[in-house]
Amino acid sequence: MADYMIVTIGVQCLTFLLLIVTIPLVVFRLARGIRIYVTILFLTIWLELMLSLVLTQEYQAIGDVTRMWKYKNSLTFFEVKYKCCGVLGPGDYVVMGGSTPNSCYKDSSGKSEDLYTTGCSTISVQPIKLTVTVVVSLICKIIMLIALVIYMIFLNRTGTPMRRWTWLHPAVRRESPS
């Protein structure tokens, strides 16, 4: 789950750095740079939106739990957070010849009446909850994108010459007939 957080934070930082690039482009009225920038900003906002949609979907934890059990890693994280015990239930520890860990009990009490009876393979996991900050961040970036598009329209109406595609890439320029 930490990998998801790292990817999300990385995309957030990338988009924030792109927003900082806006200032010199607007101050120096670099129409060509703004056009390229708007395209890149749109793509990063789209990536961030898709990432937030994917990372907020629930999935069954059976793959994670069985992999951890296979390699004899502790299931303490799942057992404490999701109030479950073992892969299929508390009997897994007995079959493996061990004792039931305290993480399988409510408040680690060790009392038989506090034992969680469901296995951790039956739980659903949501990697990241879609928080208000992500939504607000995304809305701010979309507003910035709309403001840039409006500014570009304003630039074109105030006498800044409209550039043709030939100005964007020298290989596309046509030689004038002599």
Side-chain angles (χ1 to χ4, degrees), residues 1-8 50-61 64 77-78 81-82 123-131 134:
M1 286 193 228
D3 296 337
Y4 298 130
M5 293 298 285
I6 291 170
V7 170
T8 304
M50 291 299 115
L51 191 62
S52 65
L53 290 175
V54 167
L55 294 180
T56 57
Q57 300 300 311
E58 285 188 3
Y59 69 92
Q60 294 296 319
D64 297 336
F77 169 77
F78 288 103
K81 182 168 181 161
Y82 298 105
I123 61 171
S124 295
V125 178
Q126 188 175 18
I128 299 174
K129 295 190 186 286
L130 188 61
T131 61
V134 173

Side-chain angles (χ1 to χ4, degrees), residues 6 9-10 39-40 43 63-64 80 85 87 114 125 161-162 166-168:
I6 291 170
I9 291 171
T39 305
I40 293 171
L43 290 174
D64 297 336
V80 170
C85 185
V87 177
D114 291 339
V125 178
M162 183 86 166
T166 56
W167 285 89
L168 292 177

Side-chain angles (χ1 to χ4, degrees), residues 155-169:
L155 260 179
N156 290 334
R157 293 182 186 221
T158 58
T160 303
M162 183 86 166
R163 304 246 184 211
R164 296 184 182 150
W165 285 104
T166 56
W167 285 89
L168 292 177
H169 197 285

